[in-house]
Each structure stands twice: as C-alpha cells, then as structure tokens.
Amino acid sequence: MSTTQSWTSEANEELPGLAGRIIGPEDAEYESARAVYNAMIDRRPALIARCASPRDVSDVIGFSRRHELLLAVRGGGHHGGGLGTCDGGVVIDLSPLKGVEVDPQQRKVRVGGGCTWGEVDTATGEYGLATPSGIISSTGVGGLTLGGGLGHLTRRCGLVVDNLLEAEVVLANGKAVRASPDEHPDLFWAIRGGGGNFGVVTSFLFRLHEVGTVIAGPTFWPVEDGAEVLSVYREFLPEAPRDLNGFFAFHTVPPAPPFPEEIHLRKVCGVVWCYVGPAKPAAKAMAPLLDSLPQPLMHGVAPMPHSTLQGAFDGLYPAGDQWYWRADFVNEIPDPAVRIHARYGAEMPTMKSTMHLYPIDGAAHDVGPTETAWGYRDATWGSVFAGVDPDPANADEIRRWSVEYFEELHPFSAGGAYVNMMMDEGEDRVRASYRDNYDPLARIKAVYDPDNLFRVNQNIRPRT
Ligand SMILES: Cc1cc2nc3c(=O)[nH]c(=O)nc-3n(C[C@H](O)[C@H](O)[C@H](O)COP(=O)(O)OP(=O)(O)OC[C@H]3O[C@@H](n4cnc5c(N)ncnc54)[C@H](O)[C@@H]3O)c2cc1C
C-alpha cells in the first residue's frame, strides 16, 4: 500500500466483488460500525468488512493474510473483553449474514452466522419450537454458540453446542467446509466450545425442541436474606426436575413496570425461573424452594412465550453500557462461599451490576467431558460477576467490585471459567478453562489454523 492510500481504498481496489462493504475511519459510519456492546472497549480497526456471504469472508481473510493485518471476527459484538474487534487490523463483521430457516417437520433451524438470538427465537417460536440460547436477545448466535451456550433451557435441552448439528466454516486458508459428525469431525468437536479459534462460521444448523409457552419470571427476596436464600437454593436446584431452570441472582429492582413501585431500586436476591410445561407442575417443581423460605417481596412468575422470556432483560441492558466481567465454574457452594456471596451481593455498586449462577446440570451432564470441547461437564453452575453501569465515571468502581468478588470466591471454584464470560485474561486462564481438552484443541488448531490467524479470541495456540 502506498503511504497516501488508506486500507479502505486498498481493500475496495483489491476486493471489487465484495457483496458486503468496507467501512474505514474516513467514513461517517465508522464510529457506529466500530462500537461493540461493551462501551468500555474502545478500539479502532483499520477497516471493518461487512461480509454478506461465505465468499466475502474468504476474500477478506485473503486480504488480511496478504497484508499481515490482525484479524478479528464479529458475530453480535457482545463479548465482554471486546473480542469482536481490534486495534489497527481488519474486522470481519458478520451482521449482514442473516437468515433463519425453520424446518418444523425435521425440527431443525438453519441460522446465518451474523444472527442474534432474538431473530432465531422469534422465528422458531412461531412453531412452538426453540433451541437453547442465552438470556438476552441481542447476543450473537456466533460467539455464544462457539463458546458453549448457557441459558434458560440448559437443564432440559443441554448447552447450545449440544444442539448443534452442523456448521459451515470458512477456514484460515479461505476454503469453506462443513463441520458435522461425518465431515471434518475433529473440527466439529473443536467448535463446540473452542470459540472462534478454528474458522469463521457462516451458518449453523441446530436441533429444535417443543418449547411453546413457558412458566417464567423472577422471585425476589430482600438482599439481606441472601445467605438464607442461597443456602436453600444450592441444595434445591440440583434435585429439581429438568423441566425447571432457575438461575440465582443478585439484582437491583429496575424502577419500571412490571415491578411493584414499593420495591423499585431495592437490592434483592432471587431466582429467575423458566419451566417448560404447564403452570401446575411448574408450581409443584418450585415449591420445595418457596416453601422453605420466607414470603418473597415478589413472585412474578407467569405463562409467556419462550421468545418473550428471551427478551425480558433487553430493556435493562441495551448496548453502550460499561461492563466488567469475571466468571468461574462452581461444583459446590459451601457455607463460607455463601457468606462471601451475601456480602458482595449487598454491596452491588450500581443499579445494573449483578451476579448470576447459571445451572449447568441436567441435560448438560448427559454429555461427557471429552465428547465436545466444552470440558466442565461436572460443574454445577457457571458463576458470573458483572459490574455494569452507563456512566464511564463508574468504570473503576464496577471493575473493583467484580474483581474483588471473584477473587474472594475463586478458591471455592472448580478452577476454570466459561470462556464467553471471561475478559481477556491470558493463556493460563484459557488453558484452565479447557482442562484436558486444551491439548487436543491445540492439535486441531495446528491443522486448521497453523499460523494462528484467528487469535482475537480466547486463544488456543496451535501445537503440532
Ligand atoms: C448482555 C449479555 C448477556 C449474555 N448472556 C449470555 C447467556 O445467557 N448465555 C451465554 O452462554 N452467554 C451469554 N453472554 C456471553 C456471550 O456468550 C458472549 O459474549 C459471546 O461471545 C457473544 O457472542 P457474540 O457473537 O455476540 O460476540 P462477539 O463479540 O461478536 O464475538 C465473540 C467471540 O466469538 C467469535 N465469533 C463470533 N461469531 C463468530 C462466528 N460466526 N464465527 C467465528 N467466530 C465467531 C469472535 O471472533 C470473538 O472471538 C452474554 C453476554 C452479554 C453481553
């Protein structure tokens, strides 16, 4: 490239057949195009390539390789550590790769690599069907799936990757391949938990389940009851039927309907429920917990379409807030850990800061630790400590709370963490999060991406 030419014009010259488009710093759209969900991340790529086809993806990979530019891949742009962007390199932005094709007879859905979960849940919900997804509809299918995928249906239907049937992947050499149990099975194994290390997934095929109306919503108790509620919850949840999911949370009640005004802005602890089935068995399944605890401040459980539940947190967490994440896998929650939780729950620094314990048992335990790259099949929960606030002035405070909470509890953890809920925390942490699957992943990485082109992720280094 000549010194007067920008990467944008160079890319436009070299890639005239691109179905999508190139956006660079000289374009008015650049500021919005470079933004990711977490406003704490402020990176300036040399160019953003909005890719509209697998061919576009392949061409942009070729461009990055020829010019030795760092390459980031963005699905929904939700990763807390900003792994969907980079400084000075190329961003493959998959947002134009939409398309959700539901096959209600075969109970399958094909999903474009740039879709968000809201798009998928809405389309499948029309048939009373769903595949497991996350808890916020704007999250990208790409990153959430490739890292594993925890959500309201985990206990009943497994992780998101347990429902992945095949994927179309553009590799580091630009070739498009299918990964399935029959084609490139090593790649298929690796992408079920190994993140974006192995290629760019341009489409996913998922299994669907009959999930129409769910019985869902929160039950809240005063945050001062945190130790008592958590002590009952830790015993209750692993024994509960698989149709019931309930993640434990510390929250502040948002000052808006449907929450009663008298508890607006009150710090609470509670459980966010999702029961797949009718109201009566749902109440029966929740009863052992509810009957063992004092009267809650709110028991807001009601029938609703699964896709409505998936969007329930969207208003509270729009793009553009400051986020700082820490996470750990947990097998058990002994009394000293309960006490630490209760203390930090009461000290949540901002209205949007939160701690969740996502169940990982039930159907997620039916799959063995080496059957997919997602190794922590023996964990009971994925804990996440998320400091969140719209005001950048509070960034240090939310970071401090999240890190100190995590550090005090880490000795009670299973060792690693869910890669989708970690920040950019270095190789040792990634290794700990894959345990025995790390070495096979590193060998598969050497086959499909020997030069580590795809390294803006929870990186697995290639090893022959
Ligand atoms: C508000 C919020 C709620 C969340 N809730 C949940 C939840 O309920 N359950 C859960 O499991 N996780 C949840 N997460 C975490 C989420 O799984 C990760 O943030 C995930 O990385 C998001 O995927 P994305 O495509 O939006 O991210 P991006 O930032 O776009 O990408 C993240 C990583 O995935 C790679 N990637 C993305 N798409 C592709 C693709 N198509 N091909 C190859 N690589 C790709 C990127 O290169 C990057 O390394 C949540 C995150 C947020 C911010």
Side-chain angles (χ1 to χ4, degrees), residues 3-71:
T3 48
T4 54
Q5 212 176 2
S6 73
W7 284 115
T8 323
S9 51
E10 179 81 14
N12 278 320
E13 251 171 52
E14 276 189 40
L15 309 172
L18 212 70
R21 56 185 292 246
I22 304 288
I23 301 167
E26 58 276 44
D27 294 309
E29 233 179 312
Y30 179 75
E31 285 305 312
S32 60
R34 76 182 181 90
V36 290
Y37 181 84
N38 181 1
M40 210 181 263
I41 307 295
D42 181 22
R43 301 205 176 123
R44 305 188 67 83
L47 64 87
I48 297 145
R50 292 224 163 119
C51 292
S53 67
R55 172 80 193 272
D56 279 6
V57 171
S58 173
D59 286 352
V60 176
I61 287 175
F63 179 85
S64 307
R65 292 197 81 118
R66 276 194 300 285
H67 297 284
E68 297 183 352
L69 286 165
L70 183 64
L71 179 67

Side-chain angles (χ1 to χ4, degrees), residues 36-38 72-80 82-85 94 112-117 133-136 138-152 160 169 195-204 317 323 325 358 418-421 454 456-458:
V36 290
Y37 181 84
N38 181 1
V73 178
R74 185 186 308 166
H78 262 230
H79 192 273
L83 298 179
T85 187
L94 297 170
C115 284
T116 60
W117 280 111
S133 54
I135 64 154
I136 292 204
S138 57
T139 311
V141 172
L144 186 140
T145 300
L146 297 170
L150 299 172
H152 294 296
V160 175
V169 189
N197 274 285
F198 304 93
V200 181
V201 178
T202 52
S203 101
F204 297 88
Y317 293 119
W323 284 74
W325 297 74
Y358 295 110
Y418 177 34
V419 290
N420 273 351
M421 292 182 179
F454 301 116
V456 183
N457 44 42
Q458 301 294 6

